[in-house]
Amino acid sequence: MGIDVQQPWFLLLLIPAAWVIAAWWRGQRRMPNSRKTVIAAVRGAVFLLLILALAGTQLLHPVRAETVVFVVDRSASMKDDPRVYAFMRDAVERKRAEDQFGVVAVGADAAVDQPLTTRREVQPVGVEVNRHATNLAEGIRLAAAMIPSHARGKIVLLTDGLATHGDAAREAKLAAERGIAVEAVSLQQPQGEEVVLTAVQVPERLYAGEEYAIKVDVESTTATRATLRLYEGNREAGRQTIQVEKGKNRFLFTQKALQEGFQRYRVEIEPERDTVQTNNQAHAYTQVAGAPTVLVLEGHPGAAKNLVSALAAGSIKADVKDPSLLPKALDGYKRYASIILADVAATQLSDADMERMRTAVRDLGVGLIMTGGSDSFGMGGWLQTPIEEALPVHMDLRGKEDLPSLGLMLVIDKSGSMAADAHGVDKMELAKEAAIRATSMLNRQDQVGVIAFDGTPWEVVPPRPVTDLDDIHRQIGGIFADGGTDIFPALQMAYERIKTMQTQRKHVILLTDGQSGRNDDYQGLLQQMTGENITVSTVAVGDDADTALLEEIAQWGKGRYYFAKDATSVPKIFSKETALASRTFIVEQPQVPTRTGGADWSALRQPLPPLHAYVATTPKQTAEQLLTSRDEDPILIRWQYGLGRSVAWTSDLEGKWAPDWVAWPGNSRMWNEAVAWTLPQVTTGRWKAETRLDGTTGVVTVTVPKGEKLPQELEAVVVNQEMKREAVRLKPVAPGTLEGRFSAAEPGSYLVQITEKTGGHVTASETAGLTVSYSPEYGLPRDGDSELRQWLAAGEGALITSPDEVFAGRLPAKWDTQPIGEWLLMLAALLWPLDVACRRLQLPEAWWTRLAARFRRRGSAGNAGHPSVFARLGEKQEERRRGRAARREAEAADGAGQAGTAAGKSASAAAASPAGMPLSAQVPGSSLQGEAQSRSGAGSRPAAGAFATDSAAAEQTDGGKAQADSGKAQADCGKAQADKTGETVNRLLAAKKRRQK
């Protein structure tokens, strides 16, 4: 046990505290020394406690327990080695009861698998980390953070030593500086013959028809034959049979650029002798200059026929595809300059397709055009989708109160089967999202109700106007999946509730994923509903739904039937069905649009033909309307979205709604100008961009030609295969060179859009790509044991082999601290009332004397090491004590003399004379005067009583004369004693004055 002071400078306050107590002692001349001693001791203790609390006094005691954190390498190269768990289990079984341990899993990042515990049970590591890389430095850092500063700590790594990034040696050294030992268990994995395709090099820019060479680098640990294949996109462009030698190899493909735009190349190798196939492919990107190509998606065959003809007349290439054939990678969209959606419904695209398309427009500068039709805009279920975000219009109708009112009743299955399916899709959450989207499309004059059902119906939202959407959405969000399925009672309740709605149109949407009994009279109920102009549509989710019954319900209810094999399409179906039920989105009013902008499009300066119908939308605030309807709805509208541009044409292309526009002479020019406006408008930068992989970090480098100034602002937007976006500011690293770094730990494609800005406007842009073909864990085999020993030695670590060495007790000693500042303050607070009591309470002097004597004995016992000083102090105290005793004797004698004088007349006269008075009583202001007078008075009272008694006896008896003579003799004796006592007191007063001088 020991004592530690965190801020020892505060101990200097003991000096002024001692001075304050000493000054107080000197100023208290009237107070008896015994009381002053007690008060000074109490105040000294209070000052000492307060100063020790300010100084941060704490107790120290040795730490005996050990704290060990296991850092388990869970990267792909470890292959979930079973030796890891066996080693930890055996080590934990050997620990003492007070020892504690924890477990950290590490891959590309680190995570705590088991917090610190003293139990003897260890579980297999189960926390998931990114296994495509190994960052042992991050694992050591996290493990060190788990170990308390006062603990005897140790970090034990179980790894093969093959770190792909991070400085493990540095982190081990930092841990050692904190007093934490670092040890490792080398778990090397068996290595076989390995062939690795390390790189593919393609020229960054090509021209259509240009011949070029593709370089392929291969490394191998053995000599073997192999087949090498080259793919341009998904098309095989070349094949070779090669002989791979041990070490580094390079092979060439000679190709001719046939397709314009951004191209991706993939090379695969098939060796005869190999262990891991994951590292047998690599990718590269290039830009082939040529005429731009437009991707045209048709919602149904022939939807864009007239548009394609118009573009062909303007020499713009169009690639017409069905929405199901959309590219499944982002780089596939970069091949096209613009994308056109011709009467395409949202249900024809997956959410991932929409996200890729939106990202291509915003971050890669690809254009986007949507044209109208019965399956487009709000009619196609595009509300609250990524495509709506990219377009210049909102899909719902805002600020229009004169539309026909709609009463909508949503009947949603909440049975247990609506929970997450085998693919992890929560159908209940999607159904709630669908209901929220449907209600968001309604106007304030509309009404809505929601019923959820399992075995029995539950009225979630009673029929109410759509005035407080937040409250309606909150009620919908409270639905949870549970119970069975019974459709008829829910449908019957919906009929009873929707009848009460005072709206012009009434519609019910029924959604379920299960089976229900057919014994109920569905047809009779639906005939009653249609008889009151209430329509019913149904949505079947998944193959388990009773599709036959739902199709019949939709037929009897004069509605529409939808089959959603993919539950993610349910929200789009609800949006589309709500739009169809309202019948307010399609505006059928023959009219000639009004020109409101687009002076840069020459076709719009010609006389415009009439159109018969369009889909109503709401323009976004910053969009530019080129053509508007009589009701000020947008017909042709455009805007800038990120790096790309988008256009919306709300009428159709086939001629059903706008036949005069198809025959209009300016139609071809207008569409060529619209598509050209969406093409990338910025030029390629004068700089050269390159990308490379540094461990798990992607590096983009921009080199400016010699003599050119550096760009004012250069930024790279990196989009990975999961559509996650990262903006990287490029900074100068060398003359004429700028560089930026981004995370590339996951295998896949990374598209890098580099933009140069001047004054906030984009002046140049270029697209580059980086592909991480396989995890660094699958690279060419290395000597992990040697690397492990090197960084352990640099970090003062050690290599262990046995579980017995984990809790071996060889850690350096450490002390644990326990602050006692609060206890010191509490004790000082308890002593303070004692100080007040000592000053205020009037206790007998004998009590103070005994209490002061106790303090003196304790003080003398505690200071036995200085006998000379304290001996002198004791002599002075003894001298003072003797003086006080002498004064008391003199006062007693003086009292006796006064009593004798009172007994006889002559004696009393002699005792009252000044010569018989003690000298101390004649000294004005003397401290002894008061004491002498008080004690003299106290002593004279019994003498006076005796004199009165004797006088009475003398008057009553004849022996009074003899008694008078005796009193005279006593008076003479008392006078002599008084004279002697006065001389003694005078000597004491003189000695006191000398000491004071």
Side-chain angles (χ1 to χ4, degrees):
M1 183 70 70
I3 296 179
D4 179 46
V5 179
Q6 292 182 322
Q7 302 181 40
W9 291 106
F10 278 104
L11 297 179
L12 295 176
L13 295 175
L14 292 172
I15 298 175
W19 182 86
V20 169
I21 295 176
W24 172 84
W25 180 282
R26 289 193 300 269
Q28 300 294 325
R29 300 180 182 277
R30 293 176 176 270
M31 185 180 294
N33 287 340
S34 57
R35 178 179 289 199
K36 286 198 297 184
T37 301
V38 174
I39 295 175
V42 173
R43 290 188 176 180
V46 171
F47 279 128
L48 179 62
L49 293 172
L50 293 176
I51 293 171
L52 289 177
L54 288 174
T57 305
Q58 53 189 6
L59 300 179
L60 301 177
H61 56 84
V63 178
R64 304 188 182 279
E66 295 184 45
T67 301
V68 175
V69 178
F70 296 98
V71 178
V72 179
D73 186 353
R74 296 208 70 203
S75 62
S77 63
M78 284 291 292
K79 305 171 185 175
D80 288 328
D81 195 328
R83 292 177 293 175
V84 170
Y85 174 67
F87 186 92
M88 291 193 299
R89 181 194 59 208
D90 294 343
V92 170
E93 288 177 353
R94 290 166 171 79
K95 79 178 188 66
R96 296 171 299 177
E98 64 269 22
D99 295 336
Q100 55 182 351
F101 75 95
V103 180
V104 169
V106 65
D109 49 4
V112 177
D113 183 78
Q114 297 182 41
L116 293 177
T117 180
T118 56
R119 297 182 303 173
R120 295 183 182 273
E121 300 176 2
V122 58
Q123 302 295 328
V125 180
V127 67
E128 289 298 328
V129 293
N130 185 348
R131 309 185 70 173
H132 296 299
T134 305
N135 189 349
L136 295 177
E138 184 66 23
I140 297 174
R141 186 183 303 115
L142 180 57
M146 292 176 60
I147 299 175
S149 58
H150 62 273
R152 299 172 64 205
K154 178 191 290 187
I155 299 173
V156 178
L157 290 95
L158 295 96
T159 177
D160 57 2
L162 299 176
T164 58
H165 63 294
D167 192 346
R170 178 177 177 273
E171 292 300 328
K173 188 174 181 180
L174 291 175
E177 291 175 356
R178 280 189 51 196
I180 300 174
V182 179
E183 298 176 349
V185 181
S186 181
L187 301 175
Q188 299 304 308
Q189 304 301 311
Q191 302 292 342
E193 298 175 334
E194 195 63 53
V195 177
V196 180
L197 205 161
T198 56
V200 175
Q201 301 178 31
V202 182
E204 295 180 2
R205 290 190 179 91
L206 296 170
Y207 294 95
E210 178 183 358
E211 290 190 358
Y212 60 95
I214 298 178
K215 301 175 184 178
V216 181
D217 293 333
V218 178
E219 291 188 37
S220 177
T221 60
T222 184
T224 182
R225 293 181 61 83
T227 301
L228 202 62
R229 293 187 177 89
L230 172 67
Y231 293 88
E232 184 178 12
N234 294 323
R235 179 184 66 86
E236 184 175 335
R239 177 185 296 193
Q240 296 181 20
T241 300
I242 58 174
Q243 176 65 37
V244 179
E245 302 297 336
K246 185 177 180 179
K248 295 183 178 181
N249 302 262
R250 171 166 288 185
F251 306 96
L252 298 177
F253 282 99
T254 302
Q255 293 294 312
K256 191 174 185 179
L258 300 178
Q259 296 184 0
E260 297 87 355
F262 193 76
Q263 302 293 333
R264 182 183 68 170
Y265 293 90
R266 182 177 82 255
V267 177
E268 295 180 354
I269 187 171
E270 295 180 5
E272 294 179 354
R273 300 165 62 183
D274 194 18
T275 303
V276 179
Q277 285 75 39
T278 308
N279 52 20
N280 290 347
Q281 64 175 353
H283 300 76
Y285 293 97
T286 188
Q287 183 76 38
V288 181
T293 303
V294 175
L295 174 61
V296 180
L297 301 178
E298 290 185 318
H300 57 272
K305 181 179 179 180
N306 295 326
L307 174 62
V308 172
S309 300
L311 295 179
S315 301
I316 295 179
K317 296 181 181 179
D319 187 1
V320 182
K321 288 186 177 182
D322 185 89
S324 61
L325 300 178
L326 274 172
K328 299 306 177 184
L330 183 60
D331 51 25
Y333 290 89
K334 187 57 183 175
R335 293 178 52 193
Y336 302 103
S338 189
I339 303 170
I340 300 175
L341 302 175
D343 196 16
V344 178
T347 53
Q348 295 178 270
L349 275 68
S350 67
D351 291 343
D353 291 334
M354 294 184 189
E355 188 61 39
R356 281 188 287 266
M357 195 176 297
R358 188 263 302 271
T359 302
V361 176
R362 180 189 62 192
D363 298 323
L364 303 182
V366 177
L368 177 63
I369 298 175
M370 178 177 281
T371 66
S374 57
D375 285 329
S376 188
F377 296 103
M379 302 294 294
W382 292 100
L383 180 71
Q384 296 180 1
T385 62
I387 300 301
E388 182 192 28
E389 183 181 328
L391 289 172
V393 293
H394 298 289
M395 301 301 169
D396 54 340
L397 305 181
R398 305 183 179 186
K400 296 202 174 186
E401 305 294 340
D402 56 345
L403 299 173
S405 59
L406 172 66
L408 181 64
M409 182 64 66
L410 304 177
V411 183
I412 301 173
D413 185 355
K414 63 172 285 289
S415 61
S417 60
M418 288 291 290
D421 59 14
H423 303 286
V425 177
D426 195 329
K427 293 181 283 186
M428 191 72 259
E429 290 301 318
L430 290 171
K432 290 191 287 186
E433 180 186 346
I436 290 173
R437 282 198 196 180
T439 56
S440 299
M441 297 185 69
L442 301 177
N443 295 309
R444 298 180 66 86
Q445 71 271 20
D446 298 329
Q447 295 188 31
V448 67
V450 180
I451 294 174
F453 69 93
D454 43 30
T456 56
W458 166 38
E459 190 173 26
V460 180
V461 180
R464 58 182 293 183
V466 186
T467 54
D468 189 353
L469 271 178
D470 291 338
D471 185 50
I472 294 174
H473 294 168
R474 186 164 48 252
Q475 291 176 303
I476 294 172
I479 304 174
F480 58 92
D482 188 24
T485 304
D486 194 354
I487 297 174
F488 188 82
L491 198 58
Q492 195 171 32
M493 177 182 283
Y495 171 51
E496 296 297 332
R497 298 296 185 270
I498 200 170
K499 286 195 303 183
T500 64
M501 294 183 179
Q502 302 300 318
T503 56
Q504 295 169 290
R505 294 170 182 167
K506 299 176 182 179
H507 187 63
V508 177
I509 303 177
L510 168 66
L511 178 142
T512 181
D513 71 336
Q515 307 280 335
S516 180
R518 285 175 165 267
N519 297 329
D520 300 296
D521 187 10
Y522 287 96
Q523 187 172 5
L525 175 61
L526 291 165
Q527 286 177 354
Q528 294 181 44
M529 297 176 72
T530 55
E532 299 184 33
N533 294 323
I534 301 173
T535 54
V536 180
S537 293
T538 58
V539 181
V541 182
D543 296 327
D544 294 334
D546 192 342
T547 56
L549 174 61
L550 294 176
E551 194 167 2
E552 288 177 353
I553 291 175
Q555 182 181 356
W556 294 330
K558 297 183 179 180
R560 288 156 294 276
Y561 163 73
Y562 300 89
F563 174 69
K565 187 172 183 179
D566 181 6
T568 58
S569 64
V570 170
K572 306 166 197 171
I573 293 174
F574 267 52
S575 298
K576 179 178 180 178
E577 183 59 25
T578 304
L580 291 173
S582 65
R583 304 182 209 171
T584 56
F585 285 82
I586 297 179
V587 180
E588 299 183 75
Q589 295 179 359
Q591 57 185 297
V592 176
T594 302
R595 186 185 303 110
T596 56
D600 54 326
W601 291 8
S602 60
L604 298 182
R605 294 196 291 266
Q606 303 178 25
L608 301 178
L611 55 81
H612 297 166
Y614 64 91
V615 181
T617 57
T618 303
K620 291 184 179 177
Q621 187 173 3
T622 58
E624 179 187 4
Q625 297 193 63
L626 309 184
L627 299 176
T628 58
S629 70
R630 189 180 304 159
D631 297 328
E632 297 184 353
D633 292 328
I635 301 297
L636 185 61
I637 185 172
R638 66 185 183 183
W639 82 332
Q640 181 86 32
Y641 178 68
L643 293 180
R645 293 176 169 184
S646 62
V647 173
W649 166 258
T650 59
S651 191
D652 73 337
L653 296 175
E654 298 178 79
K656 296 178 181 179
W657 292 356
D660 296 325
W661 282 78
V662 176
W664 178 47
N667 184 60
S668 177
R669 176 177 293 183
M670 186 196 76
W671 282 112
N672 277 274
E673 289 178 334
V675 172
W677 187 84
T678 63
L679 300 180
Q681 302 298 308
V682 294
T683 59
T684 303
R686 64 186 185 280
W687 24 262
K688 179 182 178 182
E690 295 180 346
T691 59
R692 59 183 174 87
L693 186 65
D694 182 11
T696 58
T697 301
V699 182
V700 53
T701 305
V702 171
T703 305
V704 178
K706 190 174 182 179
E708 295 273 354
K709 292 183 178 180
L710 292 178
Q712 292 184 1
E713 184 179 352
L714 202 62
E715 183 184 59
V717 176
V718 183
V719 183
N720 65 9
Q721 66 278 359
E722 296 179 356
M723 300 297 105
K724 292 182 179 178
R725 183 175 183 268
E726 180 181 358
V728 180
R729 189 72 176 268
L730 302 184
K731 300 178 181 179
V733 295
T737 304
L738 298 95
E739 186 177 280
R741 292 175 173 266
F742 57 91
S743 175
E746 293 284 346
S749 299
Y750 296 81
L751 289 184
V752 183
Q753 186 70 28
I754 306 168
T755 56
E756 178 182 351
K757 297 181 180 179
T758 303
H761 299 285
V762 178
T763 57
S765 178
E766 182 178 343
T767 303
L770 175 67
T771 298
V772 181
S773 302
Y774 49 85
S775 166
E777 296 290 312
Y778 298 110
L780 207 65
R782 310 196 312 265
D783 186 359
D785 188 74
S786 175
E787 294 184 13
L788 182 61
R789 293 177 182 275
Q790 288 179 6
W791 66 256
L792 275 176
E796 301 180 359
L799 201 65
I800 62 176
T801 57
S802 173
D804 297 336
E805 301 178 71
V806 176
F807 293 94
R810 294 194 296 264
L811 298 177
K814 278 195 175 184
W815 294 79
D816 194 7
T817 61
Q818 180 180 354
I820 59 173
E822 294 182 356
W823 293 98
L824 295 174
L825 292 175
M826 187 180 300
L827 186 57
L830 294 175
L831 288 177
W832 190 254
L834 182 60
D835 174 81
V836 176
C838 292
R839 289 185 288 108
R840 299 297 182 186
L841 295 179
Q842 299 297 327
L843 300 177
E845 184 66 23
W847 290 19
W848 298 113
T849 302
R850 286 195 296 269
L851 189 60
R854 289 179 179 273
F855 281 116
R856 282 196 295 271
R857 284 197 299 270
R858 292 177 182 176
S860 61
N863 296 280
H866 305 278
S868 59
V869 176
F870 291 99
R872 288 195 300 271
L873 291 176
E875 291 175 359
K876 290 183 179 180
Q877 291 178 354
E878 181 65 22
E879 182 180 353
R880 293 173 184 172
R881 187 181 64 79
R882 291 175 179 176
R884 287 194 296 271
R887 285 195 299 272
R888 286 195 295 272
E889 291 176 359
E891 292 168 357
D894 184 30
Q898 290 179 3
T901 303
K905 295 180 180 179
S906 61
S908 62
S913 66
M917 183 179 295
L919 183 59
S920 61
Q922 301 177 23
V923 179
S926 173
S927 61
L928 297 177
Q929 181 180 3
E931 293 181 15
Q933 290 176 353
S934 61
R935 297 182 183 276
S936 174
S940 65
R941 283 192 293 271
F947 174 76
T949 304
D950 293 341
S951 297
E955 291 176 356
Q956 296 175 3
T957 62
D958 294 335
K961 183 177 179 180
Q963 293 178 353
D965 295 337
S966 176
K968 182 179 179 181
Q970 291 177 358
D972 294 337
C973 181
K975 180 180 179 181
Q977 291 177 352
D979 293 339
K980 183 178 180 180
T981 302
E983 292 176 359
T984 303
V985 171
N986 289 336
R987 286 196 302 270
L988 290 174
L989 289 175
K992 181 178 180 181
K993 289 181 180 180
R994 287 195 301 273
R995 288 197 302 271
Q996 290 177 348
K997 291 180 180 181

